[in-house]
Amino acid sequence: MTMTLKTLASLATATFLLAGCTSMNVFKDDNTPPPLANDLPPEEPVLVAPPAGKPGEIKAAQINKILSGKSWKWTAPKFSGVTLYANDGSSLIEVTGKGTTTGKWMAKDGQLCEKIEPAPFLPGGQPMQCRAFSGNGENFRVGNANFTLAL
């Protein structure tokens, strides 16, 4: 068997490359194939900090989703009416038998905060006040007022 110089050079190069690969531990003892993308479990969201608020409290984002773009009938001890909560944080308030006015609103965890502009029936308006927000479905309680979705 005769080897040419070219064959010897090829064998030497192959031996050198294989020796380098094994010394780098490229070949691991684990023969398990890597998982395919479809085999991976769904990623869980990573919480940097625990959610704010009390257990069972309706979060601000949920309150925004509940109220935004909808009209709500409300009854309080002295007045009743309908309020439209716009997506931009403005509101249109109709107080039964009194008239209408505008306002601003925002949600906090467990609270609805509202400011009411002056009107003939409320000359000084009402500064921003936050009240407890609770309930579910189409019935909610804001402070001492009951809210139901106006259809």
Side-chain angles (χ1 to χ4, degrees):
M1 168 177 190
T2 58
M3 289 196 187
T4 65
L5 188 53
K6 186 176 181 181
T7 304
L8 273 174
S10 295
L11 282 174
T13 302
T15 304
F16 175 76
L17 289 175
L18 283 174
C21 289
T22 57
S23 69
M24 292 179 1
N25 198 16
V26 172
F27 302 106
K28 307 243 188 256
D29 294 332
D30 185 6
N31 292 332
T32 307
L36 299 173
N38 294 341
D39 295 338
L40 295 174
E43 288 187 28
E44 294 294 323
V46 176
L47 295 177
V48 176
K54 300 172 187 167
E57 184 175 77
I58 301 174
K59 304 296 181 227
Q62 294 169 303
I63 295 170
N64 279 327
K65 186 174 181 180
I66 290 165
L67 296 178
S68 290
K70 299 177 187 113
S71 292
W72 290 86
K73 290 182 187 179
W74 51 269
T75 57
K78 293 184 180 181
F79 300 102
S80 64
V82 177
T83 300
L84 168 63
Y85 292 93
N87 295 333
D88 66 358
S90 63
S91 58
L92 178 60
I93 305 152
E94 179 184 351
V95 180
T96 305
K98 301 288 183 182
T100 61
T101 187
T102 59
K104 300 281 182 199
W105 71 279
M106 62 181 265
K108 291 184 178 181
D109 288 348
Q111 298 182 328
L112 172 62
C113 304
E114 295 182 275
K115 174 186 177 192
I116 302 173
E117 296 299 327
F121 59 91
L122 190 62
Q126 175 185 303
M128 185 70 76
Q129 293 181 358
C130 298
R131 294 181 176 86
F133 186 96
S134 61
N136 59 47
E138 294 179 359
N139 298 298
F140 294 90
R141 188 147 178 92
V142 179
N144 60 2
N146 292 310
F147 277 50
T148 55
L149 189 59
L151 300 176

